[in-house]
Amino acid sequence: MSEPSHDPATDSSVPRHVAIIMDGNGRWANNRKKPRHSGHRAGVKSVRLSVEVAAQRGVEFLTLFAFSSENWARPKEEVSSLMNLFVEALRRELDELHRNNVRLKFIGALHDLNAGLREKISHSEHKTQTNTGLNLTVAISYGGRWDIIEASKALARRVSEGSLQVDGIDDASFAGELQMSPMPDPDLLIRTGGEQRISNFLLWNLAYAELWFTDVLWPEFDEAVFDEALNFYAGKQRRFGHTGDQIEAVEC
Ligand code: IPE
Ligand code: IPE
Ligand code: MG
């Protein structure tokens, strides 16, 4: 994997953190009269590519939505083939990710996963924990509402133990209990597959993300499509509630 093509510390036209809702695998397979599972398998190639392109363009954090809290409701066979695919993909890709200095992390209700997958996840997090390149986070059995509820429980526990005052609950203390802590919020959200919705992804963290949607199905996501999203981002003025004039005054 090549080095970033710019200095991320000084170039704000490149998002520091990109999150992707990888949607459209099933329709990609349907279009080819193949079983849905072959769409999920084909999607692994797009994951590999997006990791390479993100690192090359100088993105520091890449967060991928692989399986939602609601995806457990899919047919049993699809769920179990997805779980097997996660194990297989980790087995096949881990060494290469490690060689490329990628630091892997998983978020979600990981205790709901089978023991084999949980073991692979902790091994891959442990093996890559001191890597200093791209921070790759994979959300499995993740839901934004679940994340917020768990954070609320953690804060409530701290209040009842006396280590936190109710009025001490603020943006920072709340965000600190969320799954993505201490990573920065996504700057750019990409969703493939044509739908323009969040589907219970990082509800809190996406508050100020730029949103970019494409009809391209996830197995067809490639470098040109990724660059289209990055170019869209580069053309945005991020105001965070301020006026455009205020932002320009700071930039000058
Ligand atoms: C996204 O593709 C992958 C997962 C949700 C696991 P889908 O499987 O949702 O594909 P479509 O939306 O049915 O085409
Ligand atoms: C969102 O896709 C979840 C993932 C990509 C993992 P879905 O296919 O589950 O979303 P909906 O059901 O179309 O909103
Ligand atoms: Mg879908």
Side-chain angles (χ1 to χ4, degrees):
M1 208 149 71
S2 47
E3 287 299 304
S5 50
H6 77 121
D7 179 359
T10 54
D11 186 355
S12 65
S13 68
V14 175
R16 213 178 152 205
H17 186 171
V18 176
I20 308 184
I21 300 178
M22 311 183 289
D23 196 22
N25 296 347
R27 279 163 285 162
W28 182 90
N30 278 346
N31 294 343
R32 283 166 178 69
K33 313 254 178 299
K34 290 179 171 176
R36 292 179 59 85
H37 184 61
S38 72
H40 297 313
R41 298 189 79 86
V44 177
K45 173 180 65 39
S46 305
V47 170
R48 201 178 301 130
L49 177 132
S50 59
V51 169
E52 282 168 14
V53 175
Q56 216 280 323
R57 300 295 184 272
V59 170
E60 289 173 67
F61 299 87
L62 178 67
T63 300
L64 303 176
F65 201 9
F67 191 88
S68 73
S69 313
E70 290 73 29
N71 289 149
W72 289 110
R74 291 190 178 197
K76 228 172 53 243
E77 310 72 55
E78 180 165 348
V79 170
S80 66
S81 69
L82 273 165
M83 296 301 145
N84 292 338
L85 182 62
F86 297 146
V87 172
E88 189 189 317
L90 269 179
R91 184 163 49 225
R92 276 209 316 255
E93 307 291 333
L94 181 60
D95 286 346
E96 174 81 4
L97 289 168
H98 186 48
R99 260 198 306 282
N100 287 325
N101 202 19
V102 172
R103 183 174 182 186
L104 252 175
K105 185 174 160 49
F106 289 79
I107 60 167
L110 303 180
H111 47 81
D112 288 343
L113 306 178
N114 66 57
L117 179 53
R118 285 203 314 270
E119 198 274 317
K120 276 265 169 301
I121 284 174
S122 52
H123 171 67
S124 56
E125 286 183 335
H126 188 253
K127 181 168 172 139
T128 62
Q129 67 185 349
T130 56
N131 288 347
T132 54
L134 180 75
N135 291 281
L136 173 62
T137 302
V138 183
I140 299 186
S141 189
Y142 176 85
R145 288 181 176 178
W146 165 83
D147 197 359
I148 289 170
I149 289 167
E150 291 302 305
S152 308
K153 286 187 206 165
L155 292 169
R157 261 181 234 116
R158 282 167 55 193
V159 169
S160 68
E161 285 160 12
S163 62
L164 178 70
Q165 299 291 311
V166 168
D167 288 336
I169 299 175
D170 56 9
D171 259 38
S173 57
F174 203 104
E177 296 294 345
L178 291 166
Q179 294 275 299
M180 288 302 290
S181 174
M183 289 184 255
D185 286 345
D187 301 295
L188 171 66
L189 172 76
I190 297 174
R191 181 173 185 146
T192 60
E195 310 297 354
Q196 303 200 355
R197 55 180 174 245
I198 302 294
S199 298
N200 200 18
F201 198 21
L202 300 160
L203 296 180
W204 171 287
N205 317 71
L206 290 171
Y208 264 104
E210 303 298 332
L211 310 178
W212 190 79
F213 302 98
T214 175
D215 288 337
V216 169
L217 303 173
W218 179 247
E220 280 162 0
F221 186 80
D222 63 12
E223 187 169 357
V225 182
F226 203 157
D227 279 335
E228 222 183 297
L230 294 173
N231 287 337
F232 158 86
Y233 178 84
K236 288 283 161 193
Q237 183 192 52
R238 305 191 72 201
R239 291 191 286 275
F240 300 98
H242 293 75
T243 67
D245 287 348
Q246 286 176 300
I247 302 297
E248 275 158 33
V250 172
E251 280 167 357
C252 290

